[in-house]
Amino acid sequence: MPSSLLRRVFALRSHPAVFAAALLGVCAAAYAFWIPQLGFYWDDFPMNWIAATMGGEGLGRYFSTNRPFWGLFYRLTTPLLGSAPLPWHVFALLLRWGSGMAFWWLVRLTWPRQRVFADWAALLWVVYPGFSQQAIAFLYSHFFIILNLYLLSLCFTLLAVRHPRYFWPFSLAAWAASAANLLSMEYFFLLDLLRPVWVWLVLGDSPVGRRADGFEKHRLLKTAQIWLPYLVIFFGAMAWRSLGVGFQTYQPALIDRLRADPLSALLNLAGRALADIWLATAGAWARAFTLPAGAEFSGRFWLLYGLAAVGAGLLALVSLLTAQGPAGRARAWLWQPLAVGALALMVAGGPFWLTDLKIYLSFSHDRFTLPFMIGASLVSAALLAALPLPRWGPAVMVALAVGAAAGMQFQQGYLYRHDWNLVNTFFQQMLWRIPDLQPGTALLTNELPMTHYTDNSLSAPLNWVYDPDGGPQRAAQRMDYILYYPSLRAETESWIARLQKDRPIRRDYLAAQFEGNSSQVVILYFQPPACLRVLDPDLDAVNWMTPEELRAVLPLATTQSILPAARPGQPAPRLPEQIFNDESAPNWCYYFEKADLARQVGDWETVTRLGDLALAGSDYPNDPAERLPFVEGYAHTGNWQRALEVSRASGAVSPVMKPVLCRLWERIGRSTPVSPEQQAALALARAENECAH
């Protein structure tokens, strides 16, 4: 190939648009594959439900006590993107990519002659492995809006410095973006204090820097002059957030410790800061190189994981092989990004150290690594650039790091997909078993085997399912249903701990209030692959397969709130079609849930009809208690032989079922007509299960 053509190819490959496309490709490899199969998680659900049912007014109430300015962004985005998951996940991916481009631009503006370094830093940024919650798209897209505004504010500041002719337009844009960041949230608040450092570096590269006499003094004065308006905005925002909004959610605990014992508090702060900085840098990248382990990772997953990691790494490598990294004396400037990165790391954790929020590399605490991204990316890129490797060695190392981190992010998407499938199953089976619920009902359940949800977050889709239109809620600012994990809420909800009935239940959901009564409680148990079960106080009291925390609250249980059909004049409960997948094909759990509902209302013909279908199919129960409605149904319709057969199948699973079966047959004896066949079946069941007479 002629040398002139080679030069044109390399010139094209080094074009910013080509790098932007490569960066988007890396983001796609890390985050895009699972997007069609992802849903809403954690705080996504409450905010999305509020936006869909209560509109802007509800969002205003939700954010009124904490981050009210940030809430304005939700009021802008939710009407545009709607309540379906797919647009939010695409939006979040584009914002993640956009933040990488903004960071790349910032580095280019600061060190314009170090283009390849900016490429390295941006690639490490978009797959930063300290933060693994990209799939929580509704919530974190708004985090990245604010992060992008902060980065753009820095870029506009540096443009104002480099282009004095346009100082005022660029400065006005920078002031507005800075104010939006500072007024919105605390995550990136203290990072604004690094602005004079960026200005000082750029001033050293400006024509002013060629002055020999009094340069440093002039440079410092010019930096202070440029920084002054931002400092006014900073302190104004601080006063507004501390005096106007206050600290309703997180209290500044560090201040109290400093007052009580300053030396001890400062030593503790220094130790924790060093530990958190290490965690957000070395710990985060070690996480990227840790292969996933667990039975849930199939051969297909490993193939896709490898393709994502290798694809991202190759894209990074190809985009970097346009120019070699700094070598020899050219590395002398690397002290600058190292110093800026170190300073960024030292201030990034300030909001969390002030409020005593712990940083871990796991859900949900790894969200606190977001402010560390600037420092971690600069330091990581500078250290890789400083390695004494052959010509393309540092680029290869960056590509390896990008590939490993992209693989880790791909793995996280797979885990979020798994949780979303479980949430779909949970609400689908709940709707089969509970066609409608009396308003004011509280549901108690075990801590569900889903990492990325809490009982608080699942209360929102619970209301969405059983009040799909949400009209009355909008007007009355109320929510009709609440879900609790008793293992977590017993200390804060006295009626749970004391098993008190006829006690008011109140829960402030910020945008709406729940008001119920402890006499209106339904207790659920969900441990897939077993089906969701509405617990039976009589039988589950002696069922040792039911978790202890649920057996302890069985005295509160009732099924009177469960309605066998939709309330007249009210919209039928349903899974919001724009959010959930409708698993309408009958399976074992479908037959079980419908049979258990028919058992509740005494429709024994339906129970036996469903039992015939379920027991004849290829699917099977994963919990022996799932056969109990069919035992009872066959007994009530006089098919004693079939009732005994199903009872034996249940008891054969585990000896712990014998007390449960004894109670079931005792109930059958009380509720069925006396006959010779009944007496013979009861006697045989008591003997087989070693029941006490």
Side-chain angles (χ1 to χ4, degrees):
M1 186 180 288
S3 59
S4 60
L5 181 58
L6 275 173
R7 283 196 297 271
R8 284 198 294 271
V9 170
F10 274 94
L12 177 63
R13 197 186 295 178
S14 62
H15 193 278
V18 175
F19 176 75
L23 196 67
L24 182 59
V26 170
C27 290
Y31 307 112
F33 182 83
W34 300 116
I35 279 180
Q37 302 174 58
L38 297 177
F40 293 119
Y41 307 88
W42 201 36
D43 286 351
D44 280 358
F45 255 136
M47 289 185 286
N48 195 9
W49 169 68
I50 290 166
T53 60
M54 304 178 195
E57 292 183 5
L59 287 170
R61 292 193 299 274
Y62 184 82
F63 288 102
S64 62
T65 60
N66 186 38
R67 303 171 180 164
F69 190 87
W70 192 40
L72 297 176
F73 289 94
Y74 285 85
R75 299 179 75 167
L76 291 172
T77 56
T78 50
L80 295 174
L81 295 176
S83 54
L86 182 60
W88 286 103
H89 285 282
V90 174
F91 185 52
L93 186 147
L94 292 175
L95 285 169
R96 183 76 177 247
W97 168 71
S99 72
M101 291 304 301
F103 184 62
W104 174 83
W105 191 22
L106 174 64
V107 177
R108 287 287 299 271
L109 285 169
T110 309
W111 300 285
R113 287 180 290 277
Q114 306 298 335
R115 184 193 64 79
V116 70
F117 179 81
D119 295 352
W120 294 358
L123 284 163
L124 295 173
W125 170 283
V126 294
V127 292
Y128 172 65
F131 175 70
S132 65
Q133 300 182 51
Q134 179 72 21
I136 307 179
F138 193 101
L139 173 65
Y140 286 110
S141 59
H142 294 89
F143 274 71
F144 275 94
I145 288 173
I146 304 306
L147 178 55
N148 283 339
L149 286 172
Y150 168 68
L151 293 171
L152 289 174
S153 77
L154 291 177
C155 290
F156 288 135
T157 299
L158 300 190
L159 285 170
V161 175
R162 289 197 175 276
H163 304 283
R165 182 179 177 184
Y166 302 103
F167 177 85
W168 288 109
F170 283 134
S171 292
L172 287 171
W175 295 339
S178 175
N181 164 50
L182 295 171
L183 293 172
S184 293
M185 59 193 315
E186 65 283 355
Y187 273 59
F188 315 111
F189 198 94
L190 293 182
L191 287 173
D192 209 81
L193 294 175
L194 294 177
R195 194 179 302 271
V197 176
W198 297 98
V199 172
W200 185 83
L201 287 171
V202 171
L203 283 173
D205 192 45
S206 68
V208 177
R210 289 192 286 271
R211 290 178 46 173
D213 56 319
F215 164 63
E216 289 302 329
K217 180 179 179 181
H218 177 82
R219 187 180 179 188
L220 287 171
L221 289 173
K222 187 67 175 175
T223 299
Q225 180 185 358
I226 293 171
W227 186 37
L228 183 59
Y230 298 97
L231 199 59
V232 172
I233 295 171
F234 180 88
F235 282 111
M238 179 182 288
W240 177 74
R241 288 187 62 81
S242 58
L243 301 177
V245 178
F247 302 97
Q248 286 89 348
T249 304
Y250 303 116
Q251 303 300 317
L254 179 61
I255 295 175
D256 293 334
R257 288 201 296 271
L258 285 170
R259 289 171 179 164
D261 189 347
L263 180 60
S264 175
L266 288 172
L267 289 174
N268 180 270
L269 174 63
R272 183 179 166 195
L274 290 173
D276 287 347
I277 289 170
W278 178 261
L279 193 70
T281 51
W285 283 103
R287 181 191 198 187
F289 286 92
T290 303
L291 290 176
E296 68 269 25
F297 299 115
S298 63
R300 178 175 177 268
F301 164 80
W302 282 107
L303 174 62
L304 295 171
Y305 173 87
L307 289 173
V310 172
L314 286 176
L315 273 171
L317 186 61
V318 169
S319 70
L320 294 175
L321 292 182
T322 57
Q324 66 187 75
R329 292 183 179 178
R331 292 193 181 103
W333 74 279
L334 287 172
W335 72 268
Q336 293 185 9
L338 274 172
V340 175
L343 285 172
L345 289 171
M346 284 190 280
V347 302
F352 317 119
W353 301 328
L354 177 66
T355 52
D356 201 26
L357 292 172
K358 307 299 182 185
I359 300 175
Y360 304 111
L361 293 181
S362 59
F363 178 82
S364 64
H365 288 259
D366 70 357
R367 70 189 188 275
F368 301 140
T369 64
L370 278 171
F372 290 88
M373 287 176 66
I374 290 179
S377 300
L378 286 175
V379 168
S380 300
L383 290 176
L384 288 172
L387 291 174
L389 295 174
R391 182 180 182 187
W392 303 115
V396 172
M397 295 296 291
V398 171
L400 286 173
V402 168
M408 188 222 80
Q409 299 289 6
F410 181 88
Q411 171 208 350
Q412 291 298 316
Y414 178 83
L415 296 175
Y416 276 90
R417 167 184 170 269
H418 177 264
D419 271 10
W420 181 240
N421 289 339
L422 290 182
V423 164
N424 270 269
T425 301
F426 176 73
F427 281 105
Q428 178 68 83
Q429 293 185 14
M430 184 188 298
L431 200 53
W432 287 337
R433 176 60 181 85
I434 307 174
D436 204 351
L437 264 175
Q438 287 286 4
T441 299
L443 301 184
L444 304 186
T445 185
N446 56 304
E447 290 188 47
L448 300 179
M450 310 163 191
T451 302
H452 307 105
Y453 299 93
T454 65
D455 54 353
N456 189 62
S457 57
L458 291 172
S459 291
L462 175 66
N463 281 270
W464 215 334
V465 167
Y466 286 99
D467 186 10
D469 292 348
Q473 293 175 340
R474 183 194 298 268
Q477 299 181 20
R478 77 162 195 272
M479 57 194 300
D480 287 337
Y481 310 99
I482 199 76
L483 187 142
Y484 283 121
Y485 292 163
S487 56
L488 298 180
R489 305 296 177 182
E491 293 184 1
T492 57
E493 304 287 348
S494 61
W495 59 271
I496 296 179
R498 298 174 185 172
L499 303 179
Q500 295 170 304
K501 287 209 170 190
D502 199 26
R503 292 289 186 272
I505 305 174
R506 295 186 178 90
R507 186 64 179 268
D508 184 0
Y509 217 65
L510 298 181
Q513 312 292 321
F514 172 80
E515 293 191 6
N517 189 283
S518 60
S519 295
Q520 200 171 330
V521 171
V522 175
I523 302 180
L524 309 176
Y525 177 45
F526 183 59
Q527 190 64 44
C531 308
L532 177 144
R533 288 197 296 119
V534 173
L535 294 191
D536 185 322
D538 184 29
L539 303 184
D540 281 292
V542 294
N543 185 352
W544 305 112
M545 292 185 178
T546 301
E548 182 179 357
E549 69 269 16
L550 294 184
R551 284 187 280 115
V553 296
L554 280 174
L556 295 170
T558 180
T559 57
Q560 293 178 357
S561 296
I562 298 175
L563 305 177
R567 287 165 286 158
Q570 297 297 320
R574 63 181 183 271
L575 298 177
E577 60 276 3
Q578 73 275 27
I579 298 176
F580 290 104
N581 302 320
D582 184 7
E583 302 173 8
S584 55
N587 55 21
W588 171 268
C589 287
Y590 172 84
Y591 294 125
F592 164 74
E593 304 295 357
K594 291 296 186 180
D596 201 35
L597 174 64
R599 179 207 56 78
Q600 175 190 319
V601 298
D603 184 358
W604 303 114
E605 295 294 335
T606 297
V607 174
T608 56
R609 177 178 58 81
L610 292 167
D612 291 342
L613 292 170
L615 295 167
S618 59
D619 206 354
Y620 55 88
N622 286 283
D623 185 327
E626 293 166 18
R627 288 187 171 93
L628 302 184
F630 304 118
V631 175
E632 204 163 3
Y634 286 122
H636 274 271
T637 54
N639 193 342
W640 296 104
Q641 186 61 36
R642 189 62 165 149
L644 286 167
E645 290 174 1
V646 179
S647 176
R648 290 185 191 113
S650 180
V653 175
S654 171
V656 301
M657 286 302 296
K658 289 185 176 181
V660 182
L661 290 166
C662 288
R663 285 215 176 179
L664 178 63
W665 281 100
E666 182 182 342
R667 186 163 76 188
I668 290 171
R670 293 194 307 267
S671 57
T672 55
V674 177
S675 69
E677 294 81 6
Q678 182 224 40
Q679 292 298 303
L682 291 174
L684 190 54
R686 291 189 189 109
E688 290 176 349
N689 293 293
E690 302 173 4
C691 303
H693 292 283

